[in-house]
Structures are given as structure tokens and as C-alpha cells.
Amino acid sequence: MVVDSSGGGAPTTPPTSTPPPAGWPTPTSSQKVDATIAVSGTFDGGLKRYYGIGDGGQSESQDPMFELAAGTTLRNVIIGAPAGDGVHCEGNCTLINVWWEDVGEDAATFRGGTTYTVDGGGARSASDKVFQHNGAGTVYIKNFRVENAGKLYRACGNCSTSYQRHVVIDNVVVRNTDAIAGINTNWGDTARFSRITIVGDPDRETSICVKYKGVPKGSEPTEIGEGADGVNCLYSPSDITYQ
């Protein structure tokens, strides 16, 4: 992690030259999953499609498709529908070239660690959010594409523990998505954006950074604003490209 001297010491990450993927991969095969796959170490799916958990809806009681122990790397996996609650990272984790064809509840939930990295891959059809950040620390999302989603990232606004959370989003293509990130400014959350390309219907406005007031568990957070401010939402016009 690199700490920038601007923006209240918000974390940054060095840019990479890897472009976001241009399209969606074809699965090498498919495997129906009846129970959560627990993973530690490194799991390489060889671009196999895994599907079959949950009902494809928004119920938060659904089991995840993959549960990753601290320090796990999940790579080259296609998650089909239904996918339950996607991927749970119980500690620090790395997701490389992971694809969600149809997000049900969440694509991935970051829970117990302090550093989580999403590198490559993509997600589509998320009526709410793609990545849910419940634990502390920083989520890095780079070289990724998102389509037809509510939000790419949401820092939990009403979890049982009110951590300060950060997200760094770099080199991402966004299509038909309501917002890229939602954070809780009263807890000191930050979101930093670079090399964001927004593609799609010009009549559908995509918010870059939505600000909320985080609340205790059992209440609902309140939206209090949006846009760059140099403190919590960190980007400049040159960081956003519209196509």
C-alpha cells in the first residue's frame, strides 16, 4: 500500500498498464454446486462456471458460493446463476480474473481482513451492489468491468462494527450502473478513483462517489451528498472518461 500525502492520507495504489477486459469469457465447463466451497491457499478454476446456490434473489441469508480463508487467492473462476451470496473473504484475499455472470445478493463480501484486492474480471446484473465491504481496511479494485448494477462498491453503513473503510478503484469500465462507490463520511471512509471509463446510455447518470451517514446496526444509513471533495471522495475530472 502507498499512502498519499493528499486527501487525508487515503490509500493509493500504483497504476498498472493492464486494460480492463473487453468482453465476457466463455466457460470451459460448468459445475453445479450444492454447498459452499471452502478454500484456502490458491484456487484456480480454469474458467469453469460454478452455479447452483441460493435462489438468485436479494436475501441476505443465502450461503456464499465460495468462502475464502485469510490469505486465499481465487482466480480464473466464472460464477453463474444462482450464486447465493457470491464470495465471502473471511480475511485478506485476492480475486484475480473472477467473473460474475448474474450477481444475486452480492458478488463478494469482504469481512475479516484489512487488505483485499480485485484484479481483472467483471460483474453484471447486480440490482443492488457488487462488492460489500463489512470489515476494516482497504479494498483495491483494478482492471475490472461492471455492467447493469446499482453500485460497484459499498462500505457497510449499518454493520455491527463501524470501521473506517477505504476503497481504491483504478482502470475500471462502468456501463449502465447507478453509482461507482458509496461510503460513510462520518466514519472517515475514503474512495479514490483513477482511469474510470463510463459507457452506456447518456440519459442514465452514473454517480462517482455517494456519501452516507453511517448508523448503528438495525437502522438505515442516510444519503447526504455526492461528488469529489478532496477529503473523502478523491478524484478530478481527468480521472473520469465518458464514452
Side-chain angles (χ1 to χ4, degrees), residues 59-108:
S59 171
E60 296 186 1
S61 63
Q62 296 180 85
D63 293 331
M65 178 75 71
F66 291 93
E67 184 175 84
L68 309 187
T72 294
T73 296
L74 181 69
R75 64 191 309 149
N76 300 325
V77 166
I78 298 172
I79 299 178
D85 202 29
V87 176
H88 283 186
C89 286
E90 300 302 322
N92 294 351
C93 68
T94 302
L95 310 180
I96 300 176
N97 196 36
V98 176
W99 297 83
W100 291 265
E101 293 182 327
D102 186 345
V103 176
E105 164 53 12
D106 299 319

mmCIF file of all heavy atoms in Angstrom, residues 59-108:
data_model
loop_
_atom_site.group_PDB
_atom_site.id
_atom_site.type_symbol
_atom_site.label_atom_id
_atom_site.label_comp_id
_atom_site.label_asym_id
_atom_site.label_seq_id
_atom_site.Cartn_x
_atom_site.Cartn_y
_atom_site.Cartn_z
ATOM 1 N N SER A 59 -31.994 -11.991 -0.830
ATOM 2 C CA SER A 59 -31.985 -12.397 0.575
ATOM 3 C C SER A 59 -30.557 -12.455 1.121
ATOM 4 O O SER A 59 -29.672 -13.081 0.521
ATOM 5 C CB SER A 59 -32.635 -13.765 0.734
ATOM 6 O OG SER A 59 -32.444 -14.257 2.046
ATOM 7 N N GLU A 60 -30.332 -11.793 2.261
ATOM 8 C CA GLU A 60 -29.003 -11.779 2.860
ATOM 9 C C GLU A 60 -28.703 -13.047 3.649
ATOM 10 O O GLU A 60 -27.612 -13.205 4.177
ATOM 11 C CB GLU A 60 -28.850 -10.539 3.756
ATOM 12 C CG GLU A 60 -28.921 -9.238 2.972
ATOM 13 C CD GLU A 60 -28.640 -8.022 3.819
ATOM 14 O OE1 GLU A 60 -28.374 -8.182 5.024
ATOM 15 O OE2 GLU A 60 -28.684 -6.903 3.276
ATOM 16 N N SER A 61 -29.657 -13.951 3.730
ATOM 17 C CA SER A 61 -29.436 -15.194 4.463
ATOM 18 C C SER A 61 -28.872 -16.304 3.583
ATOM 19 O O SER A 61 -28.630 -17.414 4.058
ATOM 20 C CB SER A 61 -30.761 -15.668 5.084
ATOM 21 O OG SER A 61 -31.709 -15.962 4.068
ATOM 22 N N GLN A 62 -28.630 -16.026 2.302
ATOM 23 C CA GLN A 62 -28.111 -17.054 1.410
ATOM 24 C C GLN A 62 -26.654 -17.375 1.714
ATOM 25 O O GLN A 62 -25.868 -16.515 2.118
ATOM 26 C CB GLN A 62 -28.232 -16.593 -0.046
ATOM 27 C CG GLN A 62 -29.655 -16.391 -0.516
ATOM 28 C CD GLN A 62 -29.704 -15.934 -1.949
ATOM 29 O OE1 GLN A 62 -29.667 -16.750 -2.861
ATOM 30 N NE2 GLN A 62 -29.795 -14.638 -2.163
ATOM 31 N N ASP A 63 -26.280 -18.624 1.499
ATOM 32 C CA ASP A 63 -24.889 -19.038 1.678
ATOM 33 C C ASP A 63 -24.037 -18.534 0.515
ATOM 34 O O ASP A 63 -24.536 -18.336 -0.598
ATOM 35 C CB ASP A 63 -24.801 -20.562 1.738
ATOM 36 C CG ASP A 63 -25.456 -21.140 2.975
ATOM 37 O OD1 ASP A 63 -25.477 -20.441 4.009
ATOM 38 O OD2 ASP A 63 -25.940 -22.285 2.910
ATOM 39 N N PRO A 64 -22.737 -18.355 0.734
ATOM 40 C CA PRO A 64 -21.855 -17.980 -0.369
ATOM 41 C C PRO A 64 -21.516 -19.188 -1.242
ATOM 42 O O PRO A 64 -21.608 -20.340 -0.805
ATOM 43 C CB PRO A 64 -20.603 -17.465 0.349
ATOM 44 C CG PRO A 64 -20.569 -18.229 1.632
ATOM 45 C CD PRO A 64 -22.013 -18.412 2.025
ATOM 46 N N MET A 65 -21.114 -18.914 -2.459
ATOM 47 C CA MET A 65 -20.604 -19.959 -3.336
ATOM 48 C C MET A 65 -19.206 -20.400 -2.893
ATOM 49 O O MET A 65 -18.907 -21.589 -2.809
ATOM 50 C CB MET A 65 -20.554 -19.430 -4.776
ATOM 51 C CG MET A 65 -19.989 -20.418 -5.788
ATOM 52 S SD MET A 65 -21.146 -21.733 -6.193
ATOM 53 C CE MET A 65 -22.347 -20.811 -7.147
ATOM 54 N N PHE A 66 -18.355 -19.403 -2.581
ATOM 55 C CA PHE A 66 -17.003 -19.673 -2.111
ATOM 56 C C PHE A 66 -16.786 -18.941 -0.789
ATOM 57 O O PHE A 66 -17.148 -17.765 -0.661
ATOM 58 C CB PHE A 66 -15.951 -19.173 -3.109
ATOM 59 C CG PHE A 66 -15.899 -19.945 -4.396
ATOM 60 C CD1 PHE A 66 -16.629 -19.535 -5.499
ATOM 61 C CD2 PHE A 66 -15.109 -21.079 -4.508
ATOM 62 C CE1 PHE A 66 -16.582 -20.231 -6.690
ATOM 63 C CE2 PHE A 66 -15.052 -21.799 -5.691
ATOM 64 C CZ PHE A 66 -15.795 -21.378 -6.790
ATOM 65 N N GLU A 67 -16.177 -19.619 0.179
ATOM 66 C CA GLU A 67 -15.767 -18.994 1.424
ATOM 67 C C GLU A 67 -14.246 -19.082 1.510
ATOM 68 O O GLU A 67 -13.684 -20.181 1.554
ATOM 69 C CB GLU A 67 -16.405 -19.689 2.625
ATOM 70 C CG GLU A 67 -16.079 -19.021 3.948
ATOM 71 C CD GLU A 67 -16.839 -19.662 5.099
ATOM 72 O OE1 GLU A 67 -16.342 -20.690 5.607
ATOM 73 O OE2 GLU A 67 -17.921 -19.154 5.448
ATOM 74 N N LEU A 68 -13.589 -17.931 1.509
ATOM 75 C CA LEU A 68 -12.133 -17.878 1.425
ATOM 76 C C LEU A 68 -11.526 -17.620 2.794
ATOM 77 O O LEU A 68 -11.843 -16.620 3.448
ATOM 78 C CB LEU A 68 -11.684 -16.784 0.459
ATOM 79 C CG LEU A 68 -12.324 -16.778 -0.936
ATOM 80 C CD1 LEU A 68 -11.646 -15.741 -1.814
ATOM 81 C CD2 LEU A 68 -12.257 -18.156 -1.588
ATOM 82 N N ALA A 69 -10.641 -18.504 3.222
ATOM 83 C CA ALA A 69 -9.895 -18.283 4.452
ATOM 84 C C ALA A 69 -8.918 -17.130 4.257
ATOM 85 O O ALA A 69 -8.610 -16.723 3.121
ATOM 86 C CB ALA A 69 -9.143 -19.555 4.836
ATOM 87 N N ALA A 70 -8.421 -16.575 5.349
ATOM 88 C CA ALA A 70 -7.473 -15.462 5.277
ATOM 89 C C ALA A 70 -6.263 -15.855 4.429
ATOM 90 O O ALA A 70 -5.711 -16.950 4.570
ATOM 91 C CB ALA A 70 -7.025 -15.071 6.678
ATOM 92 N N GLY A 71 -5.873 -14.948 3.530
ATOM 93 C CA GLY A 71 -4.708 -15.169 2.689
ATOM 94 C C GLY A 71 -4.970 -15.937 1.410
ATOM 95 O O GLY A 71 -4.041 -16.238 0.668
ATOM 96 N N THR A 72 -6.225 -16.223 1.103
ATOM 97 C CA THR A 72 -6.564 -17.034 -0.072
ATOM 98 C C THR A 72 -6.570 -16.202 -1.345
ATOM 99 O O THR A 72 -6.963 -15.034 -1.346
ATOM 100 C CB THR A 72 -7.946 -17.688 0.127
ATOM 101 O OG1 THR A 72 -7.860 -18.623 1.205
ATOM 102 C CG2 THR A 72 -8.420 -18.404 -1.120
ATOM 103 N N THR A 73 -6.157 -16.843 -2.444
ATOM 104 C CA THR A 73 -6.291 -16.280 -3.784
ATOM 105 C C THR A 73 -7.261 -17.147 -4.581
ATOM 106 O O THR A 73 -7.082 -18.361 -4.689
ATOM 107 C CB THR A 73 -4.941 -16.227 -4.509
ATOM 108 O OG1 THR A 73 -4.057 -15.326 -3.819
ATOM 109 C CG2 THR A 73 -5.113 -15.735 -5.943
ATOM 110 N N LEU A 74 -8.291 -16.512 -5.127
ATOM 111 C CA LEU A 74 -9.257 -17.169 -6.009
ATOM 112 C C LEU A 74 -9.048 -16.600 -7.401
ATOM 113 O O LEU A 74 -9.096 -15.375 -7.585
ATOM 114 C CB LEU A 74 -10.680 -16.897 -5.521
ATOM 115 C CG LEU A 74 -11.825 -17.535 -6.302
ATOM 116 C CD1 LEU A 74 -11.834 -19.046 -6.102
ATOM 117 C CD2 LEU A 74 -13.167 -16.935 -5.871
ATOM 118 N N ARG A 75 -8.829 -17.471 -8.398
ATOM 119 C CA ARG A 75 -8.528 -16.958 -9.730
ATOM 120 C C ARG A 75 -9.200 -17.811 -10.809
ATOM 121 O O ARG A 75 -9.475 -18.986 -10.634
ATOM 122 C CB ARG A 75 -7.016 -16.891 -9.948
ATOM 123 C CG ARG A 75 -6.299 -18.206 -9.936
ATOM 124 C CD ARG A 75 -4.786 -18.025 -9.892
ATOM 125 N NE ARG A 75 -4.342 -17.111 -10.928
ATOM 126 C CZ ARG A 75 -3.269 -16.312 -10.817
ATOM 127 N NH1 ARG A 75 -2.550 -16.298 -9.706
ATOM 128 N NH2 ARG A 75 -2.924 -15.529 -11.812
ATOM 129 N N ASN A 76 -9.454 -17.146 -11.942
ATOM 130 C CA ASN A 76 -9.958 -17.819 -13.137
ATOM 131 C C ASN A 76 -11.225 -18.625 -12.841
ATOM 132 O O ASN A 76 -11.316 -19.810 -13.140
ATOM 133 C CB ASN A 76 -8.875 -18.723 -13.740
ATOM 134 C CG ASN A 76 -7.631 -17.964 -14.145
ATOM 135 O OD1 ASN A 76 -7.706 -16.816 -14.602
ATOM 136 N ND2 ASN A 76 -6.470 -18.570 -13.956
ATOM 137 N N VAL A 77 -12.195 -17.939 -12.265
ATOM 138 C CA VAL A 77 -13.467 -18.557 -11.908
ATOM 139 C C VAL A 77 -14.598 -17.745 -12.530
ATOM 140 O O VAL A 77 -14.573 -16.511 -12.509
ATOM 141 C CB VAL A 77 -13.636 -18.616 -10.373
ATOM 142 C CG1 VAL A 77 -15.065 -18.935 -9.988
ATOM 143 C CG2 VAL A 77 -12.679 -19.643 -9.775
ATOM 144 N N ILE A 78 -15.593 -18.435 -13.076
ATOM 145 C CA ILE A 78 -16.822 -17.811 -13.541
ATOM 146 C C ILE A 78 -17.939 -18.259 -12.609
ATOM 147 O O ILE A 78 -18.131 -19.457 -12.403
ATOM 148 C CB ILE A 78 -17.138 -18.191 -14.992
ATOM 149 C CG1 ILE A 78 -16.021 -17.708 -15.927
ATOM 150 C CG2 ILE A 78 -18.482 -17.603 -15.423
ATOM 151 C CD1 ILE A 78 -16.156 -18.201 -17.360
ATOM 152 N N ILE A 79 -18.637 -17.312 -12.020
ATOM 153 C CA ILE A 79 -19.724 -17.617 -11.106
ATOM 154 C C ILE A 79 -21.034 -17.343 -11.820
ATOM 155 O O ILE A 79 -21.334 -16.209 -12.194
ATOM 156 C CB ILE A 79 -19.593 -16.798 -9.811
ATOM 157 C CG1 ILE A 79 -18.272 -17.159 -9.109
ATOM 158 C CG2 ILE A 79 -20.783 -17.035 -8.886
ATOM 159 C CD1 ILE A 79 -18.003 -16.389 -7.840
ATOM 160 N N GLY A 80 -21.792 -18.418 -12.063
ATOM 161 C CA GLY A 80 -23.059 -18.308 -12.774
ATOM 162 C C GLY A 80 -24.218 -18.126 -11.813
ATOM 163 O O GLY A 80 -24.045 -17.875 -10.631
ATOM 164 N N ALA A 81 -25.425 -18.261 -12.340
ATOM 165 C CA ALA A 81 -26.634 -18.057 -11.540
ATOM 166 C C ALA A 81 -27.370 -19.379 -11.362
ATOM 167 O O ALA A 81 -27.409 -20.191 -12.285
ATOM 168 C CB ALA A 81 -27.538 -17.037 -12.220
ATOM 169 N N PRO A 82 -27.954 -19.593 -10.147
ATOM 170 C CA PRO A 82 -27.850 -18.701 -8.984
ATOM 171 C C PRO A 82 -26.512 -18.861 -8.273
ATOM 172 O O PRO A 82 -25.905 -19.919 -8.333
ATOM 173 C CB PRO A 82 -29.011 -19.153 -8.100
ATOM 174 C CG PRO A 82 -29.169 -20.612 -8.417
ATOM 175 C CD PRO A 82 -28.858 -20.739 -9.890
ATOM 176 N N ALA A 83 -26.088 -17.796 -7.587
ATOM 177 C CA ALA A 83 -24.768 -17.786 -6.959
ATOM 178 C C ALA A 83 -24.823 -17.477 -5.474
ATOM 179 O O ALA A 83 -23.794 -17.192 -4.862
ATOM 180 C CB ALA A 83 -23.862 -16.777 -7.664
ATOM 181 N N GLY A 84 -26.039 -17.485 -4.878
ATOM 182 C CA GLY A 84 -26.147 -17.204 -3.448
ATOM 183 C C GLY A 84 -25.562 -15.847 -3.116
ATOM 184 O O GLY A 84 -25.829 -14.855 -3.783
ATOM 185 N N ASP A 85 -24.729 -15.830 -2.094
ATOM 186 C CA ASP A 85 -24.084 -14.578 -1.667
ATOM 187 C C ASP A 85 -22.659 -14.481 -2.190
ATOM 188 O O ASP A 85 -21.791 -13.888 -1.550
ATOM 189 C CB ASP A 85 -24.111 -14.467 -0.135
ATOM 190 C CG ASP A 85 -23.959 -13.020 0.335
ATOM 191 O OD1 ASP A 85 -24.370 -12.104 -0.412
ATOM 192 O OD2 ASP A 85 -23.421 -12.797 1.435
ATOM 193 N N GLY A 86 -22.414 -15.108 -3.346
ATOM 194 C CA GLY A 86 -21.156 -14.925 -4.055
ATOM 195 C C GLY A 86 -19.945 -15.471 -3.317
ATOM 196 O O GLY A 86 -19.883 -16.641 -2.954
ATOM 197 N N VAL A 87 -18.980 -14.583 -3.067
ATOM 198 C CA VAL A 87 -17.719 -14.929 -2.410
ATOM 199 C C VAL A 87 -17.651 -14.220 -1.069
ATOM 200 O O VAL A 87 -17.923 -13.024 -0.990
ATOM 201 C CB VAL A 87 -16.520 -14.513 -3.283
ATOM 202 C CG1 VAL A 87 -15.202 -14.777 -2.561
ATOM 203 C CG2 VAL A 87 -16.553 -15.227 -4.630
ATOM 204 N N HIS A 88 -17.290 -14.948 -0.020
ATOM 205 C CA HIS A 88 -17.011 -14.341 1.285
ATOM 206 C C HIS A 88 -15.517 -14.421 1.557
ATOM 207 O O HIS A 88 -14.944 -15.517 1.554
ATOM 208 C CB HIS A 88 -17.754 -15.071 2.407
ATOM 209 C CG HIS A 88 -19.197 -14.735 2.496
ATOM 210 N ND1 HIS A 88 -20.018 -15.182 3.517
ATOM 211 C CD2 HIS A 88 -19.996 -13.986 1.697
ATOM 212 C CE1 HIS A 88 -21.245 -14.722 3.344
ATOM 213 N NE2 HIS A 88 -21.256 -14.001 2.235
ATOM 214 N N CYS A 89 -14.893 -13.282 1.792
ATOM 215 C CA CYS A 89 -13.499 -13.242 2.232
ATOM 216 C C CYS A 89 -13.487 -13.085 3.744
ATOM 217 O O CYS A 89 -13.880 -12.034 4.267
ATOM 218 C CB CYS A 89 -12.755 -12.083 1.572
ATOM 219 S SG CYS A 89 -12.366 -12.372 -0.165
ATOM 220 N N GLU A 90 -13.039 -14.125 4.455
ATOM 221 C CA GLU A 90 -13.023 -14.087 5.911
ATOM 222 C C GLU A 90 -11.793 -13.367 6.456
ATOM 223 O O GLU A 90 -11.701 -13.094 7.653
ATOM 224 C CB GLU A 90 -13.097 -15.507 6.472
ATOM 225 C CG GLU A 90 -14.351 -16.262 6.059
ATOM 226 C CD GLU A 90 -15.625 -15.539 6.472
ATOM 227 O OE1 GLU A 90 -15.664 -14.956 7.575
ATOM 228 O OE2 GLU A 90 -16.587 -15.540 5.682
ATOM 229 N N GLY A 91 -10.846 -13.066 5.597
ATOM 230 C CA GLY A 91 -9.655 -12.288 5.942
ATOM 231 C C GLY A 91 -9.134 -11.658 4.670
ATOM 232 O O GLY A 91 -9.857 -11.543 3.677
ATOM 233 N N ASN A 92 -7.873 -11.254 4.659
ATOM 234 C CA ASN A 92 -7.284 -10.706 3.443
ATOM 235 C C ASN A 92 -7.433 -11.714 2.310
ATOM 236 O O ASN A 92 -7.252 -12.921 2.493
ATOM 237 C CB ASN A 92 -5.799 -10.412 3.652
ATOM 238 C CG ASN A 92 -5.564 -9.306 4.659
ATOM 239 O OD1 ASN A 92 -6.496 -8.632 5.095
ATOM 240 N ND2 ASN A 92 -4.316 -9.112 5.051
ATOM 241 N N CYS A 93 -7.768 -11.221 1.118
ATOM 242 C CA CYS A 93 -7.945 -12.128 -0.018
ATOM 243 C C CYS A 93 -7.595 -11.406 -1.303
ATOM 244 O O CYS A 93 -7.557 -10.175 -1.365
ATOM 245 C CB CYS A 93 -9.372 -12.670 -0.076
ATOM 246 S SG CYS A 93 -10.613 -11.415 -0.479
ATOM 247 N N THR A 94 -7.372 -12.216 -2.350
ATOM 248 C CA THR A 94 -7.098 -11.694 -3.682
ATOM 249 C C THR A 94 -7.981 -12.427 -4.674
ATOM 250 O O THR A 94 -8.006 -13.665 -4.703
ATOM 251 C CB THR A 94 -5.620 -11.891 -4.058
ATOM 252 O OG1 THR A 94 -4.787 -11.238 -3.092
ATOM 253 C CG2 THR A 94 -5.326 -11.306 -5.430
ATOM 254 N N LEU A 95 -8.712 -11.679 -5.487
ATOM 255 C CA LEU A 95 -9.580 -12.241 -6.525
ATOM 256 C C LEU A 95 -9.023 -11.817 -7.878
ATOM 257 O O LEU A 95 -8.986 -10.622 -8.195
ATOM 258 C CB LEU A 95 -11.012 -11.740 -6.367
ATOM 259 C CG LEU A 95 -11.641 -11.866 -4.967
ATOM 260 C CD1 LEU A 95 -13.066 -11.320 -4.982
ATOM 261 C CD2 LEU A 95 -11.619 -13.296 -4.485
ATOM 262 N N ILE A 96 -8.556 -12.775 -8.671
ATOM 263 C CA ILE A 96 -7.911 -12.487 -9.949
ATOM 264 C C ILE A 96 -8.713 -13.124 -11.074
ATOM 265 O O ILE A 96 -8.938 -14.343 -11.084
ATOM 266 C CB ILE A 96 -6.460 -13.020 -9.970
ATOM 267 C CG1 ILE A 96 -5.625 -12.361 -8.859
ATOM 268 C CG2 ILE A 96 -5.814 -12.771 -11.327
ATOM 269 C CD1 ILE A 96 -4.214 -12.904 -8.746
ATOM 270 N N ASN A 97 -9.170 -12.300 -12.004
ATOM 271 C CA ASN A 97 -9.912 -12.781 -13.173
ATOM 272 C C ASN A 97 -11.119 -13.610 -12.747
ATOM 273 O O ASN A 97 -11.365 -14.701 -13.257
ATOM 274 C CB ASN A 97 -8.995 -13.586 -14.107
ATOM 275 C CG ASN A 97 -9.602 -13.756 -15.496
ATOM 276 O OD1 ASN A 97 -10.265 -12.855 -16.004
ATOM 277 N ND2 ASN A 97 -9.369 -14.917 -16.101
ATOM 278 N N VAL A 98 -11.884 -13.074 -11.806
ATOM 279 C CA VAL A 98 -13.123 -13.708 -11.359
ATOM 280 C C VAL A 98 -14.297 -12.958 -11.994
ATOM 281 O O VAL A 98 -14.331 -11.722 -11.982
ATOM 282 C CB VAL A 98 -13.230 -13.702 -9.816
ATOM 283 C CG1 VAL A 98 -14.570 -14.279 -9.371
ATOM 284 C CG2 VAL A 98 -12.075 -14.490 -9.204
ATOM 285 N N TRP A 99 -15.262 -13.728 -12.518
ATOM 286 C CA TRP A 99 -16.386 -13.171 -13.254
ATOM 287 C C TRP A 99 -17.705 -13.590 -12.619
ATOM 288 O O TRP A 99 -17.874 -14.749 -12.245
ATOM 289 C CB TRP A 99 -16.361 -13.663 -14.702
ATOM 290 C CG TRP A 99 -15.162 -13.215 -15.466
ATOM 291 C CD1 TRP A 99 -13.917 -13.790 -15.469
ATOM 292 C CD2 TRP A 99 -15.081 -12.090 -16.334
ATOM 293 N NE1 TRP A 99 -13.070 -13.095 -16.285
ATOM 294 C CE2 TRP A 99 -13.754 -12.036 -16.828
ATOM 295 C CE3 TRP A 99 -15.998 -11.130 -16.749
ATOM 296 C CZ2 TRP A 99 -13.340 -11.061 -17.718
ATOM 297 C CZ3 TRP A 99 -15.579 -10.151 -17.635
ATOM 298 C CH2 TRP A 99 -14.260 -10.129 -18.116
ATOM 299 N N TRP A 100 -18.603 -12.639 -12.499
ATOM 300 C CA TRP A 100 -19.954 -12.913 -12.015
ATOM 301 C C TRP A 100 -20.923 -12.632 -13.151
ATOM 302 O O TRP A 100 -21.110 -11.484 -13.566
ATOM 303 C CB TRP A 100 -20.281 -12.020 -10.830
ATOM 304 C CG TRP A 100 -19.504 -12.344 -9.583
ATOM 305 C CD1 TRP A 100 -19.901 -13.137 -8.542
ATOM 306 C CD2 TRP A 100 -18.201 -11.855 -9.217
ATOM 307 N NE1 TRP A 100 -18.936 -13.174 -7.565
ATOM 308 C CE2 TRP A 100 -17.876 -12.403 -7.952
ATOM 309 C CE3 TRP A 100 -17.270 -11.013 -9.839
ATOM 310 C CZ2 TRP A 100 -16.677 -12.135 -7.306
ATOM 311 C CZ3 TRP A 100 -16.068 -10.753 -9.207
ATOM 312 C CH2 TRP A 100 -15.782 -11.314 -7.952
ATOM 313 N N GLU A 101 -21.566 -13.675 -13.670
ATOM 314 C CA GLU A 101 -22.455 -13.510 -14.815
ATOM 315 C C GLU A 101 -23.779 -12.872 -14.428
ATOM 316 O O GLU A 101 -24.400 -12.191 -15.246
ATOM 317 C CB GLU A 101 -22.711 -14.872 -15.462
ATOM 318 C CG GLU A 101 -21.484 -15.473 -16.115
ATOM 319 C CD GLU A 101 -21.770 -16.799 -16.779
ATOM 320 O OE1 GLU A 101 -22.633 -17.550 -16.285
ATOM 321 O OE2 GLU A 101 -21.135 -17.075 -17.817
ATOM 322 N N ASP A 102 -24.224 -13.132 -13.198
ATOM 323 C CA ASP A 102 -25.511 -12.608 -12.752
ATOM 324 C C ASP A 102 -25.461 -12.523 -11.227
ATOM 325 O O ASP A 102 -25.700 -13.518 -10.534
ATOM 326 C CB ASP A 102 -26.647 -13.524 -13.216
ATOM 327 C CG ASP A 102 -28.029 -12.950 -12.917
ATOM 328 O OD1 ASP A 102 -28.126 -12.000 -12.112
ATOM 329 O OD2 ASP A 102 -29.014 -13.463 -13.484
ATOM 330 N N VAL A 103 -25.132 -11.342 -10.707
ATOM 331 C CA VAL A 103 -24.980 -11.169 -9.267
ATOM 332 C C VAL A 103 -26.352 -11.302 -8.603
ATOM 333 O O VAL A 103 -27.313 -10.648 -9.001
ATOM 334 C CB VAL A 103 -24.363 -9.795 -8.944
ATOM 335 C CG1 VAL A 103 -24.299 -9.577 -7.430
ATOM 336 C CG2 VAL A 103 -22.969 -9.684 -9.559
ATOM 337 N N GLY A 104 -26.449 -12.127 -7.580
ATOM 338 C CA GLY A 104 -27.682 -12.241 -6.818
ATOM 339 C C GLY A 104 -27.696 -11.217 -5.698
ATOM 340 O O GLY A 104 -28.062 -10.058 -5.893
ATOM 341 N N GLU A 105 -27.293 -11.632 -4.484
ATOM 342 C CA GLU A 105 -27.231 -10.682 -3.372
ATOM 343 C C GLU A 105 -25.994 -9.786 -3.528
ATOM 344 O O GLU A 105 -26.099 -8.613 -3.815
ATOM 345 C CB GLU A 105 -27.219 -11.441 -2.043
ATOM 346 C CG GLU A 105 -26.787 -10.636 -0.822
ATOM 347 C CD GLU A 105 -27.548 -9.335 -0.618
ATOM 348 O OE1 GLU A 105 -28.573 -9.094 -1.266
ATOM 349 O OE2 GLU A 105 -27.088 -8.532 0.204
ATOM 350 N N ASP A 106 -24.803 -10.328 -3.365
ATOM 351 C CA ASP A 106 -23.558 -9.590 -3.592
ATOM 352 C C ASP A 106 -22.616 -10.482 -4.385
ATOM 353 O O ASP A 106 -22.669 -11.709 -4.289
ATOM 354 C CB ASP A 106 -22.882 -9.207 -2.267
ATOM 355 C CG ASP A 106 -23.740 -8.304 -1.401
ATOM 356 O OD1 ASP A 106 -24.377 -7.394 -1.966
ATOM 357 O OD2 ASP A 106 -23.769 -8.497 -0.178
ATOM 358 N N ALA A 107 -21.708 -9.866 -5.145
ATOM 359 C CA ALA A 107 -20.675 -10.650 -5.817
ATOM 360 C C ALA A 107 -19.645 -11.138 -4.803
ATOM 361 O O ALA A 107 -19.259 -12.309 -4.797
ATOM 362 C CB ALA A 107 -20.004 -9.818 -6.899
ATOM 363 N N ALA A 108 -19.180 -10.232 -3.947
ATOM 364 C CA ALA A 108 -18.215 -10.600 -2.910
ATOM 365 C C ALA A 108 -18.421 -9.712 -1.695
ATOM 366 O O ALA A 108 -18.757 -8.530 -1.825
ATOM 367 C CB ALA A 108 -16.780 -10.480 -3.418
#
